Amino acid sequence: MFLRPADPVGLVWRPITRNDLDEVSALLTAIELVDQPTERHSVAELGQTYEETDADTAHNSLVGRDAAGTVVAYGWNHPISSDISPRRVFLAGGVHPDHRGRGIGRALLEWQLERGRHWYRATLQDDFGSLQLTAYVDETLSAQRRLYERAGLSPLRWYADMTLELGGALPDVQVPAGVRIVPFNRKYSEAVRQAHNEAFAELWGAQPVDAVRWEQQLAHSSARPQWSWVALDGRTSEVVGYAINSSYEQDSAARGVSEGWTDRIGVRPGWRGRGIANALLCASMRSFADAGLAAAGLGVDSDSPSGALRLYRRLGYEATETLVMYARTEDIAADG
Ligand SMILES: CC(C)(COP(=O)(O)OP(=O)(O)OC[C@H]1O[C@@H](n2cnc3c(N)ncnc32)[C@H](O)[C@@H]1OP(=O)(O)O)[C@@H](O)C(=O)NCCC(=O)NCCS
């Protein structure tokens, strides 16, 4: 494995340390000003990502500094160690707008792909599937998309962000017979995680979320368990559905609208088609409105056969931006 990107500019590359996070944040601010991506960073989230169990930033990340010592590029791989098949590595990175078109991004991405392969080989077990190198990008960012395509990543999936204004009268929460809709509470967390893994088991690209990642995500600064809802079997109190909500204030600020965000919604297979998701979304809207927010948002796989898109449209959600998932799948031997 090569230790640094072969960039033609000769930047000085080092793994990201905690002390670099403010400078990485400044770089991201400069990038976001020009690119106007749907998803923005926050300093708090950078810190949390840095602390995550899988992070290993000493091996999975780099910042590139110019001769003056200014951070002008970064690359950060996020491998999911609990994945079985495929073994996913999410690629994040960026080059300062003033330093683009000089081969930095291309060299950095090559390093990230190579680093992903290295992680894959180092962690390989008999029952593991292929390596999947994955990146998400706004549909409108054509230079970044070209970069991925040149590196052999293909556009596989399109995710629509959808939003609904909460200004008017909110729909009633119509609770289906035999079900109770209750506020999310820590005591349901593990049962909700299991319901989530069951609800998503058949969905394209989904893999079980393990308890560590689940709890980390619920502890994120953006998580809003207090605006989240659980559907219980009225008889046994078993968890049958859930809506886990968040607040991405930096994204809302960029869009100029305060929005509550439904991160995860699912209903266990045996309980579908009776209005449970409908009720969970209506309850979420009420939580957002009570918190003084102006809109409710969520993201949906545009090609999902689950009928989710139709359900959201019926409730009044409208599509806004689109994110494209790029990926490259590789079969690599342990000693390859
Ligand atoms: C998508 C998903 C959450 C929907 O859950 P659900 O509880 O079956 O959804 P609902 O019952 O509220 O709505 C589904 C359909 O049943 C209808 N329905 C049936 N009885 C209803 C009732 N009493 N009240 C309201 N709607 C009812 C809805 O109108 C809707 O019809 P449509 O398909 O024509 O739009 C569920 O299929 C799921 O968990 N899928 C896997 C995970 C997933 O895709 N999550 C979304 C990711 S973006």
Side-chain angles (χ1 to χ4, degrees):
M1 178 194 169
F2 50 96
L3 294 174
R4 59 180 294 283
D7 78 278
V9 180
L11 298 178
V12 176
W13 295 97
R14 294 269 183 280
I16 297 176
T17 67
R18 182 159 259 299
N19 290 337
D20 296 323
L21 292 182
D22 284 343
E23 287 170 281
V24 172
S25 172
L27 169 65
L28 281 164
T29 301
I31 289 172
E32 288 165 4
L33 201 61
V34 169
D35 288 352
Q36 297 290 316
T38 311
E39 291 180 1
R40 308 296 170 111
H41 82 286
S42 78
V43 177
E45 281 181 8
L46 281 181
Q48 283 155 352
T49 305
Y50 186 83
E51 299 296 342
E52 273 169 7
T53 322
D54 283 350
D56 187 16
T57 38
H59 295 104
N60 289 328
S61 70
L62 284 179
V63 279
R65 294 176 187 272
D66 64 11
T70 307
V71 169
V72 299
Y74 86 104
W76 199 338
N77 283 9
H78 305 286
I80 311 294
S81 62
S82 58
D83 276 359
I84 304 289
S85 182
R87 300 271 291 159
R88 292 167 301 173
V89 178
F90 292 97
L91 311 169
V95 177
H96 192 288
D98 294 347
H99 294 262
R100 291 182 181 172
R102 303 166 74 195
I104 298 173
R106 205 185 284 194
L108 181 56
L109 181 57
E110 280 305 325
W111 178 86
Q112 289 187 265
L113 298 176
E114 200 50 35
R115 170 61 210 151
R117 293 176 190 120
H118 193 267
W119 168 81
Y120 178 82
R121 284 195 293 267
T123 57
L124 193 57
Q125 292 181 21
D126 285 347
D127 54 341
F128 285 172
S130 316
L131 166 67
Q132 189 187 72
L133 299 150
T134 303
Y136 288 91
V137 55
D138 283 67
E139 193 175 31
T140 50
L141 294 177
S142 44
Q144 202 173 330
R145 294 182 61 180
R146 268 201 312 278
L147 187 74
Y148 292 142
E149 281 165 20
R150 266 201 231 100
L153 281 77
S154 306
L156 291 191
R157 246 29 213 190
W158 280 256
Y159 293 89
D161 280 354
M162 302 187 83
T163 192
L164 174 147
E165 283 179 24
L166 298 171
L170 297 179
D172 287 334
V173 184
Q174 287 175 5
V175 181
V179 172
R180 282 190 296 136
I181 303 287
V182 299
F184 177 84
N185 177 307
R186 286 255 150 227
K187 72 180 178 195
Y188 299 125
S189 184
E190 178 55 18
V192 172
R193 181 182 75 87
Q194 288 176 17
H196 171 73
N197 287 340
E198 191 184 330
F200 276 72
E202 301 297 319
L203 246 63
W204 187 92
Q207 290 201 55
V209 181
D210 73 356
V212 173
R213 262 183 86 214
W214 181 265
E215 289 302 327
Q216 269 173 355
Q217 287 172 0
L218 276 178
H220 260 203
S221 54
S222 53
R224 294 292 180 273
Q226 67 274 30
W227 302 344
S228 302
W229 294 87
V230 179
L232 303 177
D233 177 335
R235 202 171 46 82
T236 63
S237 293
E238 236 182 294
V239 171
V240 299
Y242 56 90
I244 302 293
N245 296 321
S246 289
S247 170
Y248 296 99
E249 284 165 7
Q250 66 277 19
D251 300 353
S252 298
R255 299 242 312 263
V257 55
S258 60
E259 189 173 56
W261 191 264
T262 299
D263 261 332
R264 301 187 192 275
I265 176 155
V267 173
R268 288 169 54 197
W271 294 81
R272 292 181 185 162
R274 48 174 109 173
I276 296 178
N278 193 77
L280 289 164
L281 287 169
C282 293
S284 301
M285 287 175 209
R286 291 200 169 257
S287 293
F288 300 153
D290 290 347
L293 304 180
L298 43 74
V300 58
D301 178 345
S302 307
D303 298 318
S304 171
S306 73
L309 189 59
R310 205 172 43 231
L311 171 73
Y312 304 152
R313 281 208 187 110
R314 184 166 304 166
L315 274 165
Y317 288 85
E318 288 174 10
T320 53
E321 290 89 0
T322 300
L323 282 178
V324 186
M325 174 195 166
Y326 275 85
R328 174 183 165 126
T329 302
E330 299 185 3
D331 291 304
I332 305 171
D335 55 357

